[in-house]
Amino acid sequence: STQSTWGFFPMMAALTQSVVLSQGVAQPLRIPLLGLGVYQSPPNGPTTEAVKAALRLGYRHIDTAMIYRNEADVGRAIRESGIPREEIFVTTKLWNSDQGYDSALRACETSLRNLGLSYVDLYLVHSPGGSGRSRIRAETWRAMETLLNTGRTRSIGVSNYGIQHLQELFSTATVRPAINQMELSPYTTRTDLCRFCADNGIVMEAYSPLTQGRKLQDPKLVTIAQKYSRTTAQVLIRWAIEHNYVVLPKSVTPERIAENAAVFDFSISAEDMRTLDSFDEHLVCGWDPAAQAL
């Protein structure tokens, strides 16, 4: 089995476990199952150090966004790491105020300048942007397809899209999204949405998988974690991996970044997965644009 000694090569090898996205142009495009999220990671130092620590530990997937205001820090960390660019999967996102065809194209160029990169591996529409915006969502997705076809991004997807938003997108899209990034955890399972995405070839990606800390002391979760001699955070991350979701725990603490990665040398039984799934209470730790009407 894979050793979980932090910084050890066997763990680094495990961190490259990946799933195939639907949009490999020349060859299948793979996204590492585990990534470092940098939402609310402060710019000008802390984010750079967190990303560099993650890359040293074997992470090869970093998820940022225009609205996080730390794209430049992510780019700096990638350059200073010495790791070849093509070995790192980089995601950023289009913010709501930049939706629309021309503005989306401009926003991607701004993000690439911030990152200091010639392309990203995944570009996401950060959210549906509210009700009554069907036309602008369609124009935005047309821009996303242009960015894919011109090589500014290797894949395109969405975030915080409900089934209604995806069905609307399908009615005008030439290329369907490769990813839907959502808040997902045993406390927010979104079973119907996840099934719909699976049926349509869309990979689910989990943000706030640690419930922003709210449920880490939940006695019923603690009981399962003790059974596996793991932390509750590790069980929540492993739950996502067992579901074949890409998972994005965030931290700026090297020890926690390492702990969050030590999840590839155990598995959760089918019975315990059913128990974890039963914790669902539609907990929303941040926002829930997927619930918005068209």
Side-chain angles (χ1 to χ4, degrees):
S1 68
T2 303
Q3 298 178 52
S4 59
T5 308
W6 294 343
F8 232 42
F9 177 74
M11 190 186 86
M12 293 177 71
L15 297 196
T16 62
Q17 285 192 21
S18 59
V19 292
V20 176
L21 296 180
S22 60
Q23 292 166 6
V25 178
Q27 58 187 13
L29 179 61
R30 305 191 71 94
I31 181 170
L33 278 170
L34 181 72
L36 178 74
V38 297
Y39 170 61
Q40 291 185 333
S41 297
N44 302 320
T47 297
T48 301
E49 293 308 310
V51 173
K52 286 167 71 173
L55 293 172
R56 280 195 302 271
L57 285 160
Y59 283 72
R60 292 296 181 267
H61 175 190
I62 310 296
D63 181 278
T64 184
M66 168 84 81
I67 199 66
Y68 300 170
R69 296 182 170 84
N70 55 22
E71 290 172 315
D73 302 84
V74 169
R76 186 177 308 114
I78 290 169
R79 288 189 297 278
E80 293 178 1
S81 74
I83 297 165
R85 161 67 185 98
E86 62 272 15
E87 293 182 14
I88 303 172
F89 194 102
V90 180
T91 298
T92 194
K93 309 180 192 78
L94 174 79
W95 186 238
N96 299 348
S97 57
D98 291 317
Q99 288 195 16
Y101 185 80
D102 291 331
S103 51
L105 296 181
R106 286 194 301 268
C108 183
E109 294 304 320
T110 300
S111 284
L112 291 172
R113 269 198 310 277
N114 291 342
L115 287 158
L117 300 177
S118 61
Y119 70 94
V120 289
D121 297 278
L122 174 63
Y123 196 44
L124 298 178
V125 180
H126 208 140
S127 93
S131 302
R133 289 169 59 91
S134 294
R135 181 177 298 176
I136 198 167
R137 277 194 294 270
E139 291 174 3
T140 300
W141 191 252
R142 189 164 60 87
M144 300 292 280
E145 293 176 337
T146 297
L147 292 165
L148 177 67
N149 291 333
T150 56
R152 305 310 267 163
T153 182
R154 296 175 71 210
S155 59
I156 52 177
V158 295
S159 183
N160 299 298
Y161 269 46
I163 292 173
Q164 71 279 17
H165 301 116
L166 291 168
Q167 289 174 327
E168 175 191 80
L169 188 156
F170 293 169
S171 70
T172 61
T174 302
V175 179
R176 289 189 173 190
I179 288 264
N180 189 10
Q181 187 182 122
M182 299 289 308
E183 180 178 344
L184 291 170
S185 76
Y187 301 90
T188 321
T189 59
R190 302 182 188 271
T191 305
D192 291 345
L193 175 61
C194 291
R195 185 178 300 119
F196 179 87
C197 286
D199 289 346
N200 285 279
I202 300 170
V203 171
M204 293 302 297
E205 189 170 31
Y207 70 78
S208 297
L210 305 182
T211 68
Q212 297 186 12
R214 295 188 194 183
K215 295 292 187 178
L216 293 181
Q217 307 304 321
D218 180 5
K220 59 185 183 289
L221 178 62
V222 170
T223 297
I224 291 178
Q226 288 173 338
K227 175 178 176 179
Y228 291 92
S229 300
R230 296 288 166 157
T231 66
T232 50
Q234 287 171 327
V235 168
L236 291 174
I237 295 166
R238 186 69 208 184
W239 171 88
I241 292 170
E242 296 285 356
H243 275 300
N244 220 31
Y245 302 154
V246 177
V247 60
L248 301 168
K250 71 151 292 246
S251 178
V252 295
T253 308
E255 293 77 15
R256 195 76 69 225
I257 292 169
E259 176 193 311
N260 290 344
V263 292
F264 290 96
D265 58 347
F266 79 106
S267 57
I268 301 173
S269 72
E271 181 183 1
D272 288 332
M273 284 295 291
R274 284 192 293 273
T275 300
L276 287 165
D277 289 343
S278 76
F279 294 176
D280 182 42
E281 56 186 64
H282 199 71
L283 174 72
V284 176
C285 297
W287 59 340
D288 194 17
Q292 295 168 350
L294 295 177

